[in-house]
Amino acid sequence: MTSTRSATSRDSIAERLEEARHRTLQLIEPLSDEQLNRVYSPPLSPLIWDLGHIANFEELWLVQTVGGREPLREDLGRFYDAIENPRRTRGELPILGAGEVRSYLEAVRERALEVLDGVDLDRAGDPLLDAGFVYEMLIAHEHQHTETMLQLLQMIERYEPVEVDPRPAAEPVVEGPEMVFVEAGESEVGAAPLGFAYDNERPRHSVELEGFWIDRTPVTNEAYLRFIEETGADPPMYWERDGAGGWLRAAMGRPEPIDPRQPVVHVSWYEAEAFAGWAGKRLPSEPEWEVACAGADPTRANLDQLAFGTAAAGAYADRPADCGAVQMLGDVWEWTSSDFEPYPGFEPFPYPEYSQVFFGDGYKVLRGGAWATRRAVIRPSFRNWDLPQRRQLFAGLRCAKDALSR
Ligand code: AVJ
Ligand code: FE
């Protein structure tokens, strides 16, 4: 039996799959086949790998697993398996070329929609289909890969986006305390049992925290500049000398003056940690960050990619988190002091390679999403992780401080 509710969500799923694909294709539209195939920086995959991987992942879950159908090409799976092929090796794989990958994307999508048409989304007791889980996962997966693709697009000389959000960035509120206080107490963190979330966000559990201070805004370029000048630390990725003792930022090969008011971006965890120490502060722990984020509104945040840059620190101050911090969501990912570890009672679902294989390997947690993150990916419990030396993420920081150190 097909209920009205599942018919509605079927349409909404198809629409959102389509919308995700639209963005993926829009981002690569200005690029030549040569640019799609090129390895720009050894730790990043060529864009063509992401495209084939997006299609192959969709085929695996929405066509083979849900639909019980055979893959179009049995041999492709192993080349697009992210774990079997670490990023640095992806330039050498015998993967699909630019023309082939487009038809593979289309062919898989056509079959995925056929399967969706016949699937019983209310199939009781199947956790993969419950509340459309596997479809939500696929949409989120494509969204997440567009952010990875944007990391690479930063390296492409004179890349011209097809669509840019024409609205000006929200005006910053510069006045306000440097730090805001979060009271000691017991709080719940993680995703509630209902609704889509990744396995690593569950189970929701309580944490007991001391009171702490947290910066009202992300750390700015201005503050970071003082740090590198005083300590001789390296500048963030994409900064270069302007020839007159100052600095420029040259993402996408376009040198621009550095706006002192904007959040610093493209720093490693080591650099974030060093900055915090220099400022007489520390990075917030992951639970501290999530508790401080309570009440933040993902619809009033610089997310969803089309701003193609950050808004000044203090923007969206009309919708702060309950503690008074602004921009907890959007603009830049924020490094936390915490290692990426399972929550107590963690269960891998639906596959161990999303989260579990990364636990305990020195990955650091980032929170909050960046301008380059699709809005639908982000919620206060969303956990991102990467290696502490990585700088190509859209990552900055905000500092914290113990209650008693004030
Ligand atoms: C959550 C960003 C760390 O890119 O490795 C994409 C997301 N997982 N495909 C990654 C992901 C599988 C993941 N991060
Ligand atoms: Fe992936």
Side-chain angles (χ1 to χ4, degrees):
M1 273 292 281
T2 306
S3 71
T4 320
R5 190 174 66 102
S6 61
T8 320
S9 48
R10 204 186 303 279
D11 287 349
S12 136
I13 288 166
E15 247 167 60
R16 288 179 295 130
L17 281 166
E18 162 59 25
E19 194 274 344
R21 181 58 46 80
H22 177 75
R23 177 62 55 80
T24 305
L25 296 178
Q26 195 181 44
L27 288 175
I28 59 157
E29 196 183 312
L31 302 176
S32 65
D33 290 1
E34 190 274 321
Q35 289 173 311
L36 290 176
N37 287 320
R38 190 137 116 211
V39 177
Y40 283 85
S41 161
L44 290 180
S45 331
L47 289 161
I48 196 87
W49 186 88
D50 286 272
L51 296 174
H53 167 79
I54 287 168
N56 188 251
F57 194 77
E58 180 165 322
E59 184 168 42
L60 175 64
W61 288 101
L62 301 192
V63 179
Q64 299 172 245
T65 307
V66 177
R69 298 203 192 175
E70 292 303 311
L72 290 165
R73 287 201 23 200
E74 193 69 67
D75 57 321
L76 289 180
R78 42 188 279 256
F79 302 125
Y80 292 118
D81 183 308
I83 304 293
E84 221 179 291
N85 306 287
R87 289 187 177 152
R88 67 191 143 71
T89 67
R90 293 176 192 166
E92 285 122 50
L93 295 170
I95 55 176
L96 298 178
E100 292 169 301
V101 88
R102 284 173 203 272
S103 33
Y104 180 50
L105 278 159
E106 272 174 39
V108 168
R109 176 54 57 87
E110 202 183 301
R111 305 176 104 213
L113 292 176
E114 280 166 23
V115 171
L116 172 64
D117 219 29
V119 81
D120 183 358
L121 289 169
D122 296 327
R123 195 151 88 199
D126 184 346
L128 205 56
L129 286 177
D130 195 27
F133 182 93
V134 73
Y135 288 98
E136 299 300 335
M137 180 176 87
L138 256 288
I139 294 164
H141 184 255
E142 184 151 355
H143 283 338
Q144 285 172 276
H145 274 275
T146 59
E147 178 168 347
T148 315
M149 291 166 66
L150 272 162
Q151 289 174 17
L152 194 81
L153 294 177
Q154 301 303 298
M155 298 178 186
I156 300 188
E157 293 280 314
R158 285 176 300 280
Y159 174 80
E160 281 292 348
V162 172
E163 185 187 352
V164 177
D165 187 343
R167 290 171 300 177
E171 270 305 304
V173 175
V174 185
E175 317 80 59
E178 179 185 318
M179 301 188 92
V180 295
F181 193 69
V182 181
E183 297 291 339
E186 193 174 319
S187 315
E188 295 275 297
V189 295
L194 291 180
F196 177 77
Y198 281 108
D199 55 2
N200 64 53
E201 297 166 68
R202 293 191 164 123
R204 190 165 168 84
H205 60 284
S206 77
V207 290
E208 180 83 45
L209 298 176
E210 300 290 334
F212 63 96
W213 295 92
I214 191 159
D215 286 347
R216 189 180 68 93
T217 72
V219 168
T220 61
N221 285 328
E222 181 178 28
Y224 205 83
L225 190 59
R226 261 186 276 130
F227 161 65
I228 65 178
E229 278 170 358
E230 266 186 39
T231 64
D234 287 336
M237 192 175 182
Y238 300 115
W239 285 30
E240 45 188 54
R241 286 289 184 187
D242 68 357
W247 296 96
L248 296 167
R249 261 200 84 203
M252 295 176 179
R254 271 193 219 91
E256 281 169 10
I258 286 164
D259 183 339
R261 305 174 313 158
Q262 295 207 11
V264 70
V265 61
H266 296 298
V267 297
S268 71
W269 181 87
Y270 294 117
E271 291 165 326
E273 163 111 321
F275 175 93
W278 170 81
K281 301 177 183 176
R282 59 173 173 81
L283 293 178
S285 69
E286 182 182 18
E288 283 175 338
W289 191 98
E290 188 166 330
V291 170
C293 184
D297 178 358
T299 69
R300 286 289 294 155
N302 180 11
L303 288 162
D304 231 27
Q305 305 177 337
L306 297 185
F308 278 91
T310 50
Y316 301 104
D318 56 328
R319 291 305 310 269
D322 297 340
C323 70
V326 305
Q327 280 166 307
M328 295 293 290
L329 303 179
D331 286 300
V332 294
W333 287 101
E334 299 179 14
W335 286 110
T336 72
S337 62
S338 302
D339 288 338
F340 184 53
E341 294 290 354
Y343 288 164
F346 167 85
E347 297 206 37
F349 179 77
Y351 68 121
E353 290 81 11
Y354 184 79
S355 314
Q356 195 176 30
V357 299
F358 297 97
F359 292 144
D361 258 344
Y363 289 84
K364 297 291 179 186
V365 172
L366 301 110
R367 290 299 201 106
W371 67 263
T373 313
R374 294 303 312 267
R375 199 181 306 279
V377 166
I378 284 302
R379 51 197 160 262
S381 63
F382 184 85
R383 309 174 76 193
N384 192 9
W385 66 92
D386 218 316
L387 294 172
Q389 66 271 25
R390 286 273 162 80
R391 307 169 91 215
Q392 59 270 73
L393 310 183
F394 298 93
L397 73 150
R398 112 173 40 222
C399 304
K401 212 170 168 177
D402 294 348
L404 299 174
S405 67
R406 178 89 167 184

